[in-house]
């Protein structure tokens, strides 16, 4: 089932009744709305004057809704998730913690190969030469010891983003602002799926920065990044300006949860595909499979 993404950019009071989220506004002329909680996948709270009841927080957590809150600069800074996301959580935590180094290197090899393949797919769609990207994807070694990811990234960004002096970075010039926002939403979707599959988003297969609470999410989202890049390219091609993150631009980036991706030969919304990816990762950790199921950009 396709889950909805709700974005709140104006003052609002959020409560719950009869398994619905009740949305009312300070402006009495605005009609009170309601949405079934079981239909929600992601909620973004951007405005600083939003009030939310603990009863609603309880229901959102129990339904594994990714609740993202933003700072005064309107950028995502937090993610609320359940402490208990799966009935077999303890066993699955043990499988994840006990994963061998060779297995994790193999999983990282698959992840980077899929990422480069999908980057090549987006370049191909844009009519940009990408033959060398396909070759690099095939040459990724265990643990990506030859760092094909970095080599591919240099070519990818120089080819895809036709902005003078553009380099990909958190504090770089636009469209880095769009990419940062889109990746933050993608990260929340990934973390939500990992918790739902009974895994710790903190313990990565490659990322291990002690200050990063979402190392595994940052690992698993890598092959999905080109879908954010696709939306960003569309915004760059159609918007009058993208220097500032307007509400309209954010709405387009929030569509990442429902964008169609091809996984295992079938199209499905990205949020559904992500759950299949994280479930296949669990199978790798428990030893019943050696393959992570990632989407293929077509």
């Amino acid at each position: 089932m396709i889950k909805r993404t709700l974005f709140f950019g104006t003052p609002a009071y959020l409560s719950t009744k009869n398994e619905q989220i009740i949305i009312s506004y300070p402006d009495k002329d605005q009609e009170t709305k309601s949405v079934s909680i079981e239909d929600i996948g992601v909620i973004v709270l951007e405005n600083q004057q939003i009030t939310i009841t603990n009863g609603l927080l309880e229901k959102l957590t129990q339904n594994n809704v990714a609740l993202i809150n933003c700072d005064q600069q309107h950028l995502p800074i937090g993610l609320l998730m359940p402490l208990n996301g799966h009935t077999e959580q303890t066993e699955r935590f043990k499988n994840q913690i006990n994963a061998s180094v060779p297995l994790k290197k193999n999983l990282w090899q698959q992840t980077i190969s899929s990422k480069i393949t999908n980057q090549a797919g987006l370049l191909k769609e844009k009519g940009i030469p990408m033959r060398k990207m396909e070759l690099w994807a095939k040459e990724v070694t265990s643990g990506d010891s030859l760092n094909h990811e970095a080599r591919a990234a240099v070519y990818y960004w120089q080819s895809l983003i036709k902005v003078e002096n553009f380099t990909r970075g958190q504090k770089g010039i636009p469209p880095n602002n769009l990419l940062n926002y889109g990746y933050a939403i993608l990260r929340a979707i990934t973390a939500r799926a990992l918790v739902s599959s009974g895994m710790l988003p903190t313990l990565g297969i490659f990322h291990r920065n002690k200050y990063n609470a979402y190392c595994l999410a940052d690992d698993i989202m890598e092959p999905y990044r080109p879908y954010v890049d696709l939306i960003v390219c569309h915004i760059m091609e159609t918007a009058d300006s993208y220097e500032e993150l307007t509400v309209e631009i954010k709405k387009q980036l929030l569509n990442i949860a429902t964008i169609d991706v091809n996984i295992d030969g079938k199209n499905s919304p990205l949020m559904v595909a992500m759950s299949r990816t994280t479930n296949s990762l669990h199978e790798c950790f428990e030893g019943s499979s050696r393959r992570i199921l990632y989407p293929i950009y077509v």
Side-chain angles (χ1 to χ4, degrees), residues 5-286:
T5 298
L6 303 184
F7 173 83
F8 295 96
T10 59
Y13 180 78
L14 309 180
S15 59
T16 182
K17 184 179 181 181
N18 297 331
E19 307 308 316
Q20 305 271 316
I21 175 173
I22 308 299
I23 309 160
S24 54
Y25 301 95
D27 183 354
K28 299 303 180 184
D29 292 335
Q30 280 189 276
E31 183 181 352
T32 297
K33 301 174 183 174
S34 65
V35 178
S36 174
I37 291 175
E38 68 175 3
D39 293 341
I40 303 171
V42 178
I43 291 179
V44 180
L45 304 179
E46 186 187 82
N47 194 280
Q48 301 299 298
Q49 299 179 55
I50 293 172
T51 302
I52 184 168
T53 68
N54 193 42
L56 176 57
L57 288 175
E58 176 190 352
K59 290 183 180 178
L60 294 175
T61 305
Q62 289 175 338
N63 282 273
N64 199 22
V65 175
L67 183 71
I68 302 167
N69 68 306
C70 301
D71 61 15
Q72 295 185 29
Q73 284 70 48
H74 313 298
L75 297 176
I77 57 167
L79 172 63
L80 176 67
M81 292 187 300
L83 290 174
N84 185 2
H86 195 278
T87 54
E88 299 176 356
Q89 184 164 285
T90 301
E91 181 178 351
R92 295 190 175 204
F93 279 7
K94 289 179 180 177
N95 290 335
Q96 181 183 352
I97 292 168
N98 293 330
S100 67
V101 172
L103 173 60
K104 289 191 280 190
K105 286 187 175 181
N106 177 273
L107 295 175
W108 187 241
Q109 177 186 15
Q110 293 182 52
T111 300
I112 294 307
S113 180
S114 294
K115 177 183 180 181
I116 297 174
T117 298
N118 287 347
Q119 289 175 327
L122 178 54
L123 292 183
K124 182 179 181 180
E125 183 176 281
K126 296 295 180 185
I128 300 169
M130 51 74 199
R131 181 62 181 154
K132 62 175 70 177
M133 296 282 288
E134 289 185 329
L135 293 175
W136 288 335
K138 294 176 181 175
E139 293 173 351
V140 176
T141 56
S142 178
D144 190 24
S145 56
L146 300 179
N147 204 5
H148 282 70
E149 180 188 19
R151 182 187 302 179
V154 171
Y155 177 79
Y156 176 72
W157 291 116
Q158 288 179 348
S159 304
L160 184 66
I161 305 297
K162 301 299 183 184
V163 173
E164 189 175 357
N165 298 322
F166 176 83
T167 56
R168 171 67 194 129
Q170 283 282 330
K171 299 182 185 298
I173 62 174
N176 276 298
N177 54 341
L178 278 60
L179 294 166
N180 294 341
Y181 193 90
Y183 293 155
I185 302 302
L186 178 61
R187 190 190 212 194
I189 293 170
T190 310
R192 172 191 178 277
L194 287 168
V195 170
S196 181
S197 296
M199 285 174 284
L200 280 168
T202 303
L203 298 179
I205 55 177
F206 176 79
H207 289 93
R208 57 179 65 89
N209 189 320
K210 67 178 182 180
Y211 302 108
N212 182 3
Y214 300 102
C215 288
L216 186 58
D218 289 345
D219 290 332
I220 301 305
M221 66 185 273
E222 293 288 2
Y224 285 86
R225 288 179 185 265
Y227 298 101
V228 173
D229 306 339
L230 169 67
I231 297 175
V232 170
C233 287
H234 176 73
I235 293 170
M236 294 176 66
E237 292 163 1
T238 57
D240 293 333
S241 171
Y242 53 86
E243 301 291 317
E244 300 292 334
L245 275 168
T246 64
V247 172
E248 182 55 40
I249 286 177
K250 289 173 185 173
K251 286 181 178 178
Q252 292 189 58
L253 290 167
L254 288 169
N255 285 333
I256 187 63
T258 55
I259 190 172
D260 257 356
V261 304
N262 188 283
I263 186 165
D264 205 22
K266 297 178 181 177
N267 288 336
S268 66
L270 183 143
M271 182 175 281
V272 176
M274 187 64 81
S275 293
R276 297 186 67 186
T277 294
T278 56
N279 283 329
S280 70
L281 175 63
H282 154 67
E283 291 173 355
C284 294
F285 283 147
E286 75 169 1

